[in-house]
Amino acid sequence: MTIHYPNGQHPKQSYHANRDLPTPHQSIYAKRGMSLEDEINDSNKYYLSRHAAVIYKKPTPIQLVKVDYPKRSAAVIKEAYFRRPSTTDYNGIYKGYYIDFDAKETRNKRYFPLKNFHEHQVRHMRECVSQGGICFAFIKFTELELVYLLPASILFRYWDEMINGGRKSILLTDIQREGFEVKYQLNPRLPYLQAVDQIIAAKNKGVYHVE
């Protein structure tokens, strides 16, 4: 079967909750070079094993191009395309809250280009936030090994400024000021639920809202 992947890249291996978790003997930096997606998947696996949260990567939709029917009771897919996801990368539930977020990486050391997001992703997050969901962007500066959670309402503000002719990026210093740094550790590798707790607390105080 021929499968065409977006940008010519193969999807990364999916994860399962029953796989072995990292052990305390592993160094915090033992997995340097992992993609942000892999780091989040490892963390989600850990959270699921501890019954802390149920958050998964959304499957990439597939468009079938050619299907053969050698038997009336069976179909064989001969060619298919992985389509670009129509929303965000991850969703799930935590402490009764719907969680929805996207994960982005940049090699830039000074700013994060907003072109890494798509209009339909921002629109999707706006809809989720308007329904009471907790949405944010996972942003990794790969050259600096820095990871931040940026609440969706803050992303919306920078996005709208760009649409109105403003900057086409968010400065690292602004992300550091308005976001939450997620520092690497052993288990989970990215303890991002600590930042989500702060987003929930701020939301309950009326700090974050749809703009």
Side-chain angles (χ1 to χ4, degrees), residues 66-119:
K66 183 178 180 181
V67 182
D68 287 348
Y69 296 89
K71 297 180 180 180
R72 300 185 66 178
S73 60
V76 178
I77 299 173
K78 292 294 186 179
E79 186 175 0
Y81 287 86
F82 276 98
R83 296 184 297 175
R84 189 179 298 275
S86 60
T87 56
T88 49
D89 292 330
Y90 293 86
N91 69 345
I93 188 167
Y94 172 60
K95 291 185 176 180
Y97 288 92
Y98 174 74
I99 305 296
D100 197 294
F101 62 90
D102 207 72
K104 304 291 186 182
E105 299 183 60
T106 180
R107 299 183 67 86
N108 197 289
K109 297 180 181 180
R110 295 181 56 249
Y111 59 83
F112 175 80
L114 283 167
K115 67 179 181 180
N116 287 345
F117 282 98
H118 301 283
E119 192 278 332

Side-chain angles (χ1 to χ4, degrees):
M1 178 179 68
T2 301
I3 298 181
H4 304 272
Y5 301 93
N7 303 322
Q9 296 180 348
H10 289 244
K12 297 178 176 60
Q13 183 183 26
S14 61
Y15 66 95
H16 302 282
N18 59 357
R19 286 185 188 163
D20 292 337
L21 293 170
T23 68
H25 299 290
Q26 290 178 297
S27 166
I28 293 177
Y29 301 102
K31 296 185 178 180
R32 277 187 180 274
M34 288 179 66
S35 71
L36 177 59
E37 179 181 304
D38 288 335
E39 292 170 339
I40 294 173
N41 289 346
D42 275 1
S43 301
N44 286 344
K45 179 173 61 176
Y46 177 86
Y47 284 136
L48 183 63
S49 73
R50 296 300 190 273
H51 311 291
V54 180
I55 300 174
Y56 290 101
K57 187 177 188 305
K58 300 176 185 177
T60 303
I62 297 177
Q63 179 178 342
L64 302 183
V65 176
K66 183 178 180 181
V67 182
D68 287 348
Y69 296 89
K71 297 180 180 180
R72 300 185 66 178
S73 60
V76 178
I77 299 173
K78 292 294 186 179
E79 186 175 0
Y81 287 86
F82 276 98
R83 296 184 297 175
R84 189 179 298 275
S86 60
T87 56
T88 49
D89 292 330
Y90 293 86
N91 69 345
I93 188 167
Y94 172 60
K95 291 185 176 180
Y97 288 92
Y98 174 74
I99 305 296
D100 197 294
F101 62 90
D102 207 72
K104 304 291 186 182
E105 299 183 60
T106 180
R107 299 183 67 86
N108 197 289
K109 297 180 181 180
R110 295 181 56 249
Y111 59 83
F112 175 80
L114 283 167
K115 67 179 181 180
N116 287 345
F117 282 98
H118 301 283
E119 192 278 332
H120 65 267
Q121 293 178 318
V122 176
R123 183 172 63 248
H124 167 76
M125 284 192 282
R126 287 188 195 271
E127 292 292 336
C128 290
V129 170
S130 70
Q131 296 296 326
I134 303 297
C135 296
F136 52 88
F138 240 120
I139 298 176
K140 179 177 181 179
F141 290 83
T142 56
E143 296 296 304
L144 303 175
E145 286 289 325
L146 293 175
V147 180
Y148 294 91
L149 255 64
L150 190 68
S153 59
I154 296 175
L155 171 64
F156 300 158
R157 189 176 76 241
Y158 285 103
W159 181 268
D160 291 341
E161 289 176 0
M162 178 190 69
I163 296 300
N164 293 322
R167 286 186 60 94
K168 296 182 179 180
S169 63
I170 309 176
L171 294 174
L172 170 59
T173 52
D174 290 334
I175 293 175
Q176 291 173 324
R177 185 182 71 254
E178 301 191 84
F180 300 92
E181 183 177 2
V182 181
K183 296 185 178 181
Y184 289 106
Q185 64 176 37
L186 286 176
N187 289 325
R189 178 160 176 77
L190 287 175
Y192 70 92
L193 289 186
Q194 297 173 16
V196 174
D197 284 335
Q198 296 182 67
I199 294 176
I200 291 174
K203 176 183 183 302
N204 291 337
K205 292 180 180 178
V207 177
Y208 296 136
H209 58 278
V210 179
E211 300 179 355

